[in-house]
């Protein structure tokens, strides 16, 4: 018999619910969002975030517009404890943002959690214990009453600690962990026992979070569970029903959407779906799904490149080029017929009340993308051949995104000349396109200093006989230069892609850097070459910015 034996698994048993109403519902308003990037997302990383990375991601989450952010598990991690204190002690929590922390239903952990939160204006204390059948029977060896006792004791401890700190506005949250693996009637029983302790009111509700800690069924079954729970739980008008879905079956977003249709008020998830195993519910995907249906997601996702860059740098995880809404290629048409349809629809879009463009469910400009990513040449071999020639003959190892950008230039040259484009001609085009020393501004001397772990750059720019001195700060010389150029140009600049390599194996080999910037929603590429890797990086950035300035000048003319 094959070792791939499906008979060892038993199908998930759905609940009997002939009166289900959720299939007829339509999501007309965004749920309350809670980011768990800094806790659930962080604990799933191969290398957990440093304090600096957490701080940067916190700023990004606030900028995106999250009003509730789970910032850690301070009773279990000294790093999380210190981060919570840093946010509170340095007044980094905006008035309209509430921090949330997670804690097990254990006395010493709950007491340490409240210690970490001392001085917070408002905070959600999220307490949990496992309730599923398999955990109850095989991990804890307890009956139902034993699990209820853990939950109730935890709720009492949370209430007692909160009463000692009336200066903080406390919000309580309870999760029957592994809700999807818990008998639905028992999940209701446990949650009723907890809310009996907390006595919520419509004016001061508590959060009941129903996690698909492991995704065990199809999304419709999860929706049935949520609707049944909402119909049968006590004090429903004093509860905020929250969802926390995982993506083990690849349906985390679908389960959350159907769960909201089934009556949930709130959704927990992470940017780009990072999390344990296959990940958490992807907030970007669900929010953009709502946006594409004309629903205000209540999150600002207009600068998607910036969000992606922050997530990549803080998590050290890539973003797949086909990631829903956010991936590099999701608005790209390689097919000639698709390109033709897009061009024709775009030509007729002006004056229409609603967006109606074939193959493009939303306007890419809404999230800071431009149509230059949409219309690309269809020949994969063309891009591959160009990259091969440049590597073989000149040592340039073009990243794929630069190959795509450059291929249009080569194709236009080939069509204009109506002849074969040889190796030397390709390299000449490459230099004129990306390495041309002429431009609006050229980089002169520069100096970098470091103070309090922050880098400060001062540089000279020249154009003809004119000179300008620019300054900027950031985490590293590249970030400092981008900051300086943002101030100088008055435009928002995001470093989208960066790649580098040596042009040979010798000790004095030149380095080449490939740069892609998003400048006010448009992508621009530049290349720098120097014996100094820093010089090469800055030259590449400046050349990309010069290309933006050249396009602006052409448009003005």
């Amino acid at each position: 018999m094959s070792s791939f034996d499906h008979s060892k698994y038993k199908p998930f048993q759905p609940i009997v619910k002939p009166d289900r109403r959720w299939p007829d519902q339509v999501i007309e308003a965004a749920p309350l969002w809670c980011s768990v990037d800094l806790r659930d997302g962080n604990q799933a990383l191969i290398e957990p975030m440093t304090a600096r990375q957490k701080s940067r991601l916190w700023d990004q989450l606030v900028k995106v517009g999250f009003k509730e952010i789970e910032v850690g598990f301070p009773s279990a991690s000294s790093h999380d404890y210190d981060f919570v204190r840093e946010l509170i002690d340095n007044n980094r929590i905006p008035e309209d943002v509430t921090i949330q922390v997670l804690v097990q239903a254990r006395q010493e952990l709950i007491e340490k959690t409240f210690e970490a939160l001392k001085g917070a204006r408002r905070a959600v204390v999220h307490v949990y214990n496992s309730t599923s059948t398999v955990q109850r029977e095989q991990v804890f060896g307890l009956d139902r009453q034993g699990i209820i006792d853990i939950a109730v004791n935890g709720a009492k401890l949370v209430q007692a600690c909160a009463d000692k700190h009336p200066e903080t506005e406390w919000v309580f949250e309870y999760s029957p962990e592994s809700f999807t693996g818990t008998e639905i009637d028992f999940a209701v029983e446990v949650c009723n026992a907890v809310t009996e302790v907390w006595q919520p009111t419509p004016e001061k509700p508590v959060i009941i979070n129903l996690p698909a800690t492991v995704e065990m069924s199809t999304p419709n079954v999860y929706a049935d569970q949520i609707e049944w729970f909402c119909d049968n739980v006590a004090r429903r008008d004093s509860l905020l029903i929250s969802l926390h879905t995982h993506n083990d079956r690849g349906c985390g977003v679908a389960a959350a959407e159907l769960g909201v249709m089934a009556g949930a008020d709130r959704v927990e998830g992470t940017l780009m779906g990072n999390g344990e195993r296959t990940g958490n519910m992807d907030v970007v995907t669900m929010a953009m799904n709502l946006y594409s249906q004309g629903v205000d997601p209540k999150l600002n996702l207009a600068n998607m490149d910036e969000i992606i860059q922050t997530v990549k740098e803080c998590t050290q995880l890539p973003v797949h080029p086909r990631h829903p809404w956010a991936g590099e290629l999701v608005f790209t048409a390689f097919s000639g017929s698709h390109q033709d349809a897009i061009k024709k629809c775009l030509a007729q879009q002006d004056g229409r009340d609603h967006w109606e463009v074939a193959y493009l469910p939303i306007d890419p400009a809404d999230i800071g993308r431009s149509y230059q990513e949409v219309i690309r040449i269809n020949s994969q071999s063309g891009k591959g051949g160009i990259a091969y020639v440049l590597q073989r003959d000149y040592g340039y190892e073009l990243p794929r995104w630069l190959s795509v950008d450059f291929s249009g230039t080569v194709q236009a040259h080939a069509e204009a000349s109506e002849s074969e484009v040889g190796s030397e001609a390709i390299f000449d085009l490459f230099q004129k396109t990306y390495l041309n020393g002429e431009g609006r501004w050229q980089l002169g001397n520069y100096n970098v200093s470091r103070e309090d772990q922050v880098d400060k750059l001062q540089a000279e720019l020249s154009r003809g006989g004119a000179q300008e001195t620019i300054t900027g700060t950031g985490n590293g010389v590249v970030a400092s230069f981008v900051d300086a150029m943002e101030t100088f140009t008055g435009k928002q600049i995001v470093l989208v892609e960066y790649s580098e390599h040596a042009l040979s194996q010798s000790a004095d080999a030149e380095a080449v850097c490939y740069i892609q910037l998003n400048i006010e929603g448009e992508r621009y590429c530049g290349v720098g070459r120097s014996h100094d890797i820093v010089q090469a990086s800055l030259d590449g950035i400046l050349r990309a910015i010069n290309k933006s300035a050249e396009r602006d000048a052409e448009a003005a003319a």
Side-chain angles (χ1 to χ4, degrees), residues 310-377:
T310 300
V311 171
K312 286 165 62 176
E313 290 188 7
C314 293
T315 65
Q316 304 300 304
L317 293 174
V319 173
H320 196 283
R322 301 292 184 185
H323 191 105
W325 304 111
E328 182 70 21
L329 299 178
V330 297
F331 300 115
T332 301
F334 290 109
S335 163
S337 62
H338 288 202
Q339 291 181 358
D340 182 63
I342 291 170
K343 289 178 181 178
K344 289 177 179 176
C345 289
L346 289 175
Q348 301 178 53
Q349 187 59 35
D350 288 347
R352 290 182 179 269
D353 292 334
H354 295 93
W355 180 260
E356 290 181 296
V357 175
Y359 304 111
L360 295 179
I362 68 164
D363 184 349
D366 291 348
I367 58 171
R369 299 283 174 81
S370 68
Y371 301 120
Q372 66 194 60
E373 292 97 34
V374 175
I375 308 301
R376 294 182 177 177
I377 67 170

Side-chain angles (χ1 to χ4, degrees), residues 390-397 500-514 528-531 533:
L390 288 174
Q391 181 175 8
R392 181 195 64 191
D393 297 341
Y394 304 100
Y396 286 82
E397 301 171 9
E500 66 181 46
H501 66 81
L503 283 174
S504 72
Q505 300 297 319
S506 63
D508 63 341
E510 285 188 292
V512 60
C513 288
Y514 309 104
R529 176 174 173 171
S530 173
H531 288 285
I533 186 64

Side-chain angles (χ1 to χ4, degrees), residues 86 154 170 197 237 313 326 333 358 430 454 460 479-480 515 536:
E86 195 272 332
W170 299 107
V197 174
D237 63 344
E313 290 188 7
F430 180 77
V454 175
E460 295 177 357
S480 302
I515 302 293

Side-chain angles (χ1 to χ4, degrees), residues 215-245:
E215 188 175 35
M216 306 173 71
S217 69
T218 51
N220 62 297
V221 174
Y222 183 67
D224 279 349
Q225 291 174 308
I226 300 303
E227 188 171 79
W228 196 98
F229 185 95
C230 291
D231 287 346
N232 290 275
V233 71
R235 307 174 184 86
R236 177 64 184 94
D237 63 344
S238 301
L239 306 179
L240 293 175
I241 301 300
S242 177
L243 309 178
H244 183 117
T245 59

Side-chain angles (χ1 to χ4, degrees), residues 421-435:
V421 183
S423 173
E424 290 184 4
I426 290 175
F427 185 54
D428 184 58
L429 281 171
F430 180 77
Q431 292 189 100
K432 288 180 179 178
T433 305
Y434 301 110
L435 280 162

